Amino acid sequence: MFLLGYSQLTNTQYWLRENPQKHLAPDIFAVTFRAPTPEQKGVSREVMEIEVCEYDDHATTDIAGHIRAKLKDKVYNQHTFLLCYTHRKQETRLIDVIEGLKGIKTSVREIWLLYHLHNGPKGNFGIARVYLRDADLNTTNLLYQGNYLELMKIPQREMVHVSKGLTKDVQFNPLGVAYVPLPRIKKKK
């Protein structure tokens, strides 16, 4: 869901790849291809590293505290995104999370929240950047709210050329509509 929303913000399509080395960070890679600039010979592949954590209703701290605990004493690639997927029954107040993360010492570049919107039709969700290293979020914050059921109807493309080459354009095959499996939350007994 995060990449569906992020694609709407950046106007770029991403492909998700799970890290084959489960015990190493990051959890997932998001891959996109860019047409070459005049100085480049061919298409370039860009890879985003995304580490994922989850925040449930049974957590004993607030979201910012949960994120701080996740990042404590850990070193990530300086370009890594942390994505915190919140499973909450109440509204998520973004300003509380942003304020709670002020002054955090971390190597990640950005921290994003993925959360469900509890008003409106089924499938409503939001993503919000709540931390950007060395920047003022008041001027650089990003927020997207949408419906994944609608976003899944956007035709997806499959990669043909999966690495840097000498061609001047990015070539794709139509793949049809997206299938977005959602994680299932285990209910406590």
Side-chain angles (χ1 to χ4, degrees):
M1 279 193 316
F2 170 73
L3 287 176
L4 287 173
Y6 193 72
S7 293
Q8 297 301 305
L9 285 171
T10 60
N11 201 24
T12 303
Q13 186 168 358
Y14 295 88
W15 289 266
L16 180 72
R17 192 183 101 205
E18 186 177 30
N19 190 343
Q21 299 176 332
K22 305 264 186 247
H23 63 285
L24 297 177
D27 294 318
I28 56 175
F29 300 97
V31 181
T32 191
F33 293 88
R34 302 247 187 236
T37 62
E39 308 84 50
Q40 294 176 316
K41 291 184 179 180
V43 173
S44 61
R45 178 177 67 169
E46 293 182 7
V47 179
M48 263 185 351
E49 296 183 4
I50 304 173
E51 182 72 6
V52 178
C53 71
E54 295 188 59
Y55 180 82
D56 293 320
D57 276 330
H58 67 273
T60 58
T61 184
D62 62 8
I63 296 173
H66 182 75
I67 291 170
R68 285 178 176 275
K70 164 73 175 167
L71 296 174
K72 185 178 182 180
D73 300 326
K74 293 187 181 159
V75 178
Y76 293 96
N77 177 316
Q78 66 178 347
H79 302 291
T80 300
F81 284 33
L82 176 71
L83 173 62
C84 184
Y85 183 21
T86 65
H87 307 277
R88 294 176 52 122
K89 291 187 175 75
Q90 69 263 27
E91 181 180 326
T92 300
R93 288 180 34 94
L94 297 177
I95 191 66
D96 293 342
V97 179
I98 291 168
E99 290 295 322
L101 292 174
K102 282 191 176 173
I104 190 172
K105 303 274 190 253
T106 180
S107 57
V108 298
R109 185 178 98 197
E110 299 183 29
I111 300 173
W112 287 79
L113 290 185
L114 167 62
Y115 54 95
H116 296 277
L117 298 172
H118 297 290
N119 55 350
K122 179 182 177 185
N124 281 359
F125 75 100
I127 62 170
R129 182 165 58 192
V130 293
Y131 171 83
L132 176 61
R133 188 179 55 237
D134 303 325
D136 178 9
L137 269 184
N138 293 327
T139 59
T140 60
N141 194 23
L142 294 175
L143 173 68
Y144 174 80
Q145 294 181 342
N147 186 293
Y148 68 83
L149 298 172
E150 292 302 316
L151 291 176
M152 287 175 16
K153 296 176 184 175
I154 297 172
Q156 302 293 299
R157 301 177 298 174
E158 181 164 3
M159 297 177 271
V160 173
H161 298 290
V162 294
S163 63
K164 186 170 179 147
L166 296 179
T167 182
K168 292 289 183 188
D169 62 339
V170 183
Q171 299 174 12
F172 299 99
N173 278 341
L175 191 60
V177 295
Y179 169 68
V180 183
L182 300 177
R184 300 206 183 274
I185 300 172
K186 295 178 183 171
K187 295 184 179 179
K188 293 207 172 209
K189 295 180 181 181

PDB file of all heavy atoms in Angstrom, residues 17 69 89 105 121-122 131 171 179:
ATOM      1  N   ARG A  17      10.551  -5.628  -4.100  1.00  0.00           N
ATOM      2  CA  ARG A  17      11.355  -6.852  -4.033  1.00  0.00           C
ATOM      3  C   ARG A  17      11.717  -7.106  -2.578  1.00  0.00           C
ATOM      4  O   ARG A  17      12.296  -6.238  -1.925  1.00  0.00           O
ATOM      5  CB  ARG A  17      12.615  -6.716  -4.867  1.00  0.00           C
ATOM      6  CG  ARG A  17      13.316  -8.055  -5.043  1.00  0.00           C
ATOM      7  CD  ARG A  17      14.600  -7.940  -5.803  1.00  0.00           C
ATOM      8  NE  ARG A  17      15.649  -7.984  -4.801  1.00  0.00           N
ATOM      9  CZ  ARG A  17      16.840  -7.480  -4.945  1.00  0.00           C
ATOM     10  NH1 ARG A  17      17.168  -6.852  -6.027  1.00  0.00           N
ATOM     11  NH2 ARG A  17      17.738  -7.572  -3.991  1.00  0.00           N
ATOM     12  N   ALA A  69      12.420   3.240  19.719  1.00  0.00           N
ATOM     13  CA  ALA A  69      12.892   1.938  20.201  1.00  0.00           C
ATOM     14  C   ALA A  69      13.370   1.062  19.043  1.00  0.00           C
ATOM     15  O   ALA A  69      14.380   0.361  19.157  1.00  0.00           O
ATOM     16  CB  ALA A  69      11.788   1.235  20.989  1.00  0.00           C
ATOM     17  N   LYS A  89      -7.053   1.514  16.101  1.00  0.00           N
ATOM     18  CA  LYS A  89      -8.490   1.747  15.973  1.00  0.00           C
ATOM     19  C   LYS A  89      -8.810   3.231  16.087  1.00  0.00           C
ATOM     20  O   LYS A  89      -9.819   3.683  15.598  1.00  0.00           O
ATOM     21  CB  LYS A  89      -9.236   0.943  17.021  1.00  0.00           C
ATOM     22  CG  LYS A  89      -9.161  -0.549  16.757  1.00  0.00           C
ATOM     23  CD  LYS A  89     -10.047  -1.323  17.702  1.00  0.00           C
ATOM     24  CE  LYS A  89     -10.070  -2.780  17.361  1.00  0.00           C
ATOM     25  NZ  LYS A  89      -8.901  -3.502  17.717  1.00  0.00           N
ATOM     26  N   LYS A 105      18.252  10.672  16.982  1.00  0.00           N
ATOM     27  CA  LYS A 105      19.555  10.374  16.377  1.00  0.00           C
ATOM     28  C   LYS A 105      19.410   9.047  15.640  1.00  0.00           C
ATOM     29  O   LYS A 105      19.245   8.003  16.252  1.00  0.00           O
ATOM     30  CB  LYS A 105      20.638  10.254  17.454  1.00  0.00           C
ATOM     31  CG  LYS A 105      20.773  11.480  18.328  1.00  0.00           C
ATOM     32  CD  LYS A 105      21.689  12.483  17.705  1.00  0.00           C
ATOM     33  CE  LYS A 105      22.011  13.590  18.674  1.00  0.00           C
ATOM     34  NZ  LYS A 105      21.393  14.832  18.413  1.00  0.00           N
ATOM     35  N   PRO A 121     -15.026   5.234   2.952  1.00  0.00           N
ATOM     36  CA  PRO A 121     -15.222   3.847   2.489  1.00  0.00           C
ATOM     37  C   PRO A 121     -14.066   2.922   2.861  1.00  0.00           C
ATOM     38  O   PRO A 121     -12.972   3.364   3.194  1.00  0.00           O
ATOM     39  CB  PRO A 121     -15.325   4.001   0.968  1.00  0.00           C
ATOM     40  CG  PRO A 121     -14.705   5.309   0.649  1.00  0.00           C
ATOM     41  CD  PRO A 121     -14.826   6.172   1.868  1.00  0.00           C
ATOM     42  N   LYS A 122     -14.356   1.639   2.787  1.00  0.00           N
ATOM     43  CA  LYS A 122     -13.340   0.613   3.026  1.00  0.00           C
ATOM     44  C   LYS A 122     -12.189   0.819   2.050  1.00  0.00           C
ATOM     45  O   LYS A 122     -12.382   1.120   0.884  1.00  0.00           O
ATOM     46  CB  LYS A 122     -13.952  -0.773   2.821  1.00  0.00           C
ATOM     47  CG  LYS A 122     -12.973  -1.895   3.023  1.00  0.00           C
ATOM     48  CD  LYS A 122     -13.617  -3.234   2.760  1.00  0.00           C
ATOM     49  CE  LYS A 122     -12.565  -4.318   2.917  1.00  0.00           C
ATOM     50  NZ  LYS A 122     -13.061  -5.619   2.573  1.00  0.00           N
ATOM     51  N   TYR A 131       9.498  12.247   9.334  1.00  0.00           N
ATOM     52  CA  TYR A 131      10.887  12.598   9.636  1.00  0.00           C
ATOM     53  C   TYR A 131      11.675  12.637   8.341  1.00  0.00           C
ATOM     54  O   TYR A 131      11.536  11.751   7.501  1.00  0.00           O
ATOM     55  CB  TYR A 131      11.524  11.570  10.588  1.00  0.00           C
ATOM     56  CG  TYR A 131      13.010  11.752  10.778  1.00  0.00           C
ATOM     57  CD1 TYR A 131      13.510  12.680  11.693  1.00  0.00           C
ATOM     58  CD2 TYR A 131      13.921  11.003  10.040  1.00  0.00           C
ATOM     59  CE1 TYR A 131      14.872  12.856  11.864  1.00  0.00           C
ATOM     60  CE2 TYR A 131      15.283  11.179  10.202  1.00  0.00           C
ATOM     61  CZ  TYR A 131      15.752  12.100  11.107  1.00  0.00           C
ATOM     62  OH  TYR A 131      17.106  12.271  11.272  1.00  0.00           O
ATOM     63  N   GLN A 171      11.569   0.305 -21.343  1.00  0.00           N
ATOM     64  CA  GLN A 171      10.562  -0.502 -22.031  1.00  0.00           C
ATOM     65  C   GLN A 171       9.853  -1.401 -21.035  1.00  0.00           C
ATOM     66  O   GLN A 171      10.477  -2.016 -20.181  1.00  0.00           O
ATOM     67  CB  GLN A 171      11.233  -1.342 -23.116  1.00  0.00           C
ATOM     68  CG  GLN A 171      11.909  -0.488 -24.168  1.00  0.00           C
ATOM     69  CD  GLN A 171      12.687  -1.324 -25.160  1.00  0.00           C
ATOM     70  OE1 GLN A 171      12.555  -2.538 -25.193  1.00  0.00           O
ATOM     71  NE2 GLN A 171      13.487  -0.670 -25.969  1.00  0.00           N
ATOM     72  N   TYR A 179      -2.330  -6.638  -7.731  1.00  0.00           N
ATOM     73  CA  TYR A 179      -2.855  -7.462  -6.649  1.00  0.00           C
ATOM     74  C   TYR A 179      -2.106  -7.038  -5.403  1.00  0.00           C
ATOM     75  O   TYR A 179      -0.880  -7.112  -5.367  1.00  0.00           O
ATOM     76  CB  TYR A 179      -2.633  -8.943  -6.942  1.00  0.00           C
ATOM     77  CG  TYR A 179      -2.904  -9.818  -5.741  1.00  0.00           C
ATOM     78  CD1 TYR A 179      -4.194  -9.971  -5.246  1.00  0.00           C
ATOM     79  CD2 TYR A 179      -1.878 -10.475  -5.085  1.00  0.00           C
ATOM     80  CE1 TYR A 179      -4.448 -10.754  -4.142  1.00  0.00           C
ATOM     81  CE2 TYR A 179      -2.126 -11.266  -3.985  1.00  0.00           C
ATOM     82  CZ  TYR A 179      -3.411 -11.401  -3.509  1.00  0.00           C
ATOM     83  OH  TYR A 179      -3.670 -12.170  -2.416  1.00  0.00           O
TER      84      TYR A 179
END
